[in-house]
Amino acid sequence: TAVRDVQDHLKLISWHVATDGSVKRLHDKSGNEEIAEIATATYHSYPPAEQRLATVVRMKSGRMTSGLPTAGKLKITSWRVGFGRSRPGEQLSTWGQFTELGSAEGGLVWEVAAAALSHRRIVTAARNAQSELDVQTWDFDAQGKVSLHSGAKGGEIRGTPDVTTQGGARVITSVLDGEDRLTHITWDAI
């Protein structure tokens, strides 16, 4: 799980779910940067020897003189999450440990959503500082380094966009357009 703690810092928590359905908390990892919003997406490492997670956050920003909050920077961070196969009596001490692998910053955004797209690639959809839909794909190399792959913009939107993917090649965003109509947009992610 990824949450914003009482100090507005990102907090990651790993859990082990046993075959009998019982849940055990494993490890916590806290950041020291103030954030305003969180989205997450898993991506595939290759070879598949470990779990990978991308956190997508909107950094907390200052306030303008009008008293309204300003948009915050988009930040994508890749994480390795330790895991293994369950065996009777096995220690879970290394399971669920978080290791930060890399990060990249994007532009100023208000709301943000994320989804897994394909092998080592995720997609983010955000309402940017100009209240436009901003769709970007992000790549992760074998070491977890993050880089922007591509981006596109839509028209004016209101509120948080939703994003999903289809077949590793299509992105579908659902948003309220500038006239409060529900709009679905398909994007070619290749």
Side-chain angles (χ1 to χ4, degrees), residues 97-109:
Q97 288 183 350
F98 296 97
T99 305
E100 184 176 337
L101 301 175
S103 65
E105 287 189 357
L108 296 174
V109 298

Side-chain angles (χ1 to χ4, degrees), residues 116-147:
L117 180 57
S118 62
H119 176 69
R120 285 197 234 165
R121 184 172 291 159
I122 68 165
V123 59
T124 59
R127 182 168 65 100
N128 67 19
Q130 292 76 39
S131 291
E132 301 166 323
L133 176 61
D134 199 352
V135 179
Q136 296 177 311
T137 57
W138 301 86
D139 287 343
F140 302 86
D141 70 11
Q143 290 73 40
K145 181 181 173 189
V146 186
S147 60

Side-chain angles (χ1 to χ4, degrees), residues 27-41:
H27 293 281
D28 296 7
K29 177 81 172 184
S30 293
N32 56 8
E33 297 174 305
E34 289 186 341
I35 63 169
E37 190 175 356
I38 307 166
T40 61

Side-chain angles (χ1 to χ4, degrees), residues 6 17 21 24 44 70 75 77-78 87 90 92 115 118 120 139 150 159 173 179 183:
V6 295
V17 180
K24 177 182 178 182
H44 301 290
T70 58
K75 183 175 182 182
T77 305
S78 63
R87 295 182 187 98
E90 182 177 11
L92 300 178
S118 62
R120 285 197 234 165
D139 287 343
S150 65
T173 55
E179 297 176 12
T183 304

